[in-house]
Every structure is written in structure tokens, then in C-alpha cells.
Amino acid sequence: MYNEKTWIDKLKVFMTFGFIPLFAFATVIVVPFCMGIFTTLTDWNGTSDTFHFLGFSNYQAALTDSTFWTSMGTTLKYVVITLVLTNVVAFGLALLVTSGFKGQNFFRAGYFTPNLIGGIILGFVWQFIFARVFTYAGRELDWGFLSSSWLGDPDKALWALIIVSIWQNAGYMMLIYVAGLNGISASLTEAASLDGASYIRQLFSVKIPLMVPAFTISLFLTLQRSFMVYDTNLSLTKGDPFRSTELIAMHVYNEAFVYQRFGPGQAKAFILFAVVAIIAIVQVSVMKKVEVEA
């Protein structure tokens, strides 16, 4: 009787606190994910009542699509550059706003503000800046690299997207680094100072090794955001000029919903998921080993 009552009590607790989140997770994540995988094996166009089983034909079509690999290459370039520069800028800002100068909390809030702006609005704002503000400044100051809009140049448009992404995400990553820096005991830096260590030596020998968990989180979040960016890509460049800024998320969306090739689009989405998952697992595993060594 006691065991039965305990089991019933546990069931009541689960139904009260665990069932709704589990149901929402299954409904929003698990079921659509399984349906998406099944769709990759059919010729369903997303609207018809019938479909035919095709096996792995959609995957073959995705893997042999040159535009898919072009977008993947563009995305990898974007991810690598954004990953490095975003975290360098974020860590620099974190060091700045924890240095103890007057009004640092105001600057901390200011640096974080761009992260609160939606990607669509952000893209339109920066589209105006690149098309009007920078070109006007370039003509007035006779700076050739700003005399024409970067958004119309296939060689510069991707860099415009990178700049906007760094400006948007650096403030968020900064807060993670600020938390890591605040978690370092002041006694460690004081001891290093007494031993004659300079600020640079303290930074590389004391602070950065203790900041590895913060680096792990920030690199993972930056990696995930960079691979999945769509809204800013849409509003800033729409993949132009000549698809030179069409990142993989936009390519997958266009394939499935614009060109109505739902099966190949879903197959490309699953390939993207596998690539991101593998890279993320490797990144976290490597950083965890560094944490242990540090």
C-alpha cells in the first residue's frame, strides 16, 4: 500500500510539473523533427494529399546540388570569421566594462542593446547605413572603399553581413564573459600582482585559463547562431548580389518554400542539422578537455 501510494504521488507530481513541458517539447520539437525526416524520403510538396516513397533520392539530389555546396561554403566562411571576431570583441568589451571605470554599467547596457533588436529590423537599419550613410561619408572624405554600397558588391556584401552579426551578438557574449570575469577570485589576481606579474601576464596566465567554461558557452552559442541566421540575411541582402550572401539557412528555406521542392529542402535541412551537431559536439568536447587541463 505504501509503495502504491508513493507511485501515485510521484505520478501526480509528474503530471503537475513535468507533463506539460514534456508534451510541449514532443509536440513542437520531436514530432515535427520525425515528420521532417520522413518527408525527406518522399516526394510530398507540402500541400498535396498524396505522396510517393522515394528512398534516399532527395539526399542524392541535395548532395549533388552545386548551389547547396556553394551556400555551405559561404556559410562556413561566415561562421569562422564571425565566431572568431564576435568572441574577440565580446571578450575585449568584457575586460573594458569590468575594469572599474566610472559609468561602466551604462556602457555594459549600451553594448548589450543591439542584441535586443530583431534581426529583420536590424537588417533594414543597417541596409540604410551601408547604402546611404557610409556611401555619403565615403564620397565626402574621399574614401574609396566606402564610396559605393557594400551590399551591391559580391566581394564586400558578405563582410557587411559579418559586421552586422558581430555588432548584434558581441554584447550578448560580453555578458557571459563578464560573469566569468566576476567569478574569478580577487585573491588570485592580488597574489599574481604581488609576485610581480604584469596585467598582460595576469590576463594570459590567470584570467583566460579560468575563463575556459565561459569560452565554451560563448563559442557554442556563437556557432549555433551563425549557422542558423536567417532574418538578418533576409532583410539585409536577401542573398544578393548573385547569391554571394545566400547562407545555408536561407538556401534551405528557398528550396523548400520558395521553389516548392519540399523533399530536397528537408533533406538539405537534415544534412545541415547533422553538420551543425557534429561541429558543436566536437567543439564542446575539445573545450571540455581544455577546461580539465586548465
Side-chain angles (χ1 to χ4, degrees), residues 255-272:
E255 183 78 10
F257 299 104
V258 177
Y259 307 134
Q260 294 296 307
R261 293 193 287 265
F262 209 71
Q266 281 285 356
K268 292 177 180 180
F270 185 75
I271 294 171
L272 173 61

Side-chain angles (χ1 to χ4, degrees), residues 216 220 279-291:
T216 302
F220 174 79
I279 294 176
I281 291 172
V282 171
Q283 178 259 318
V284 172
S285 300
V286 171
M287 294 300 295
K288 287 296 182 181
K289 291 181 180 179
V290 175
E291 286 182 29

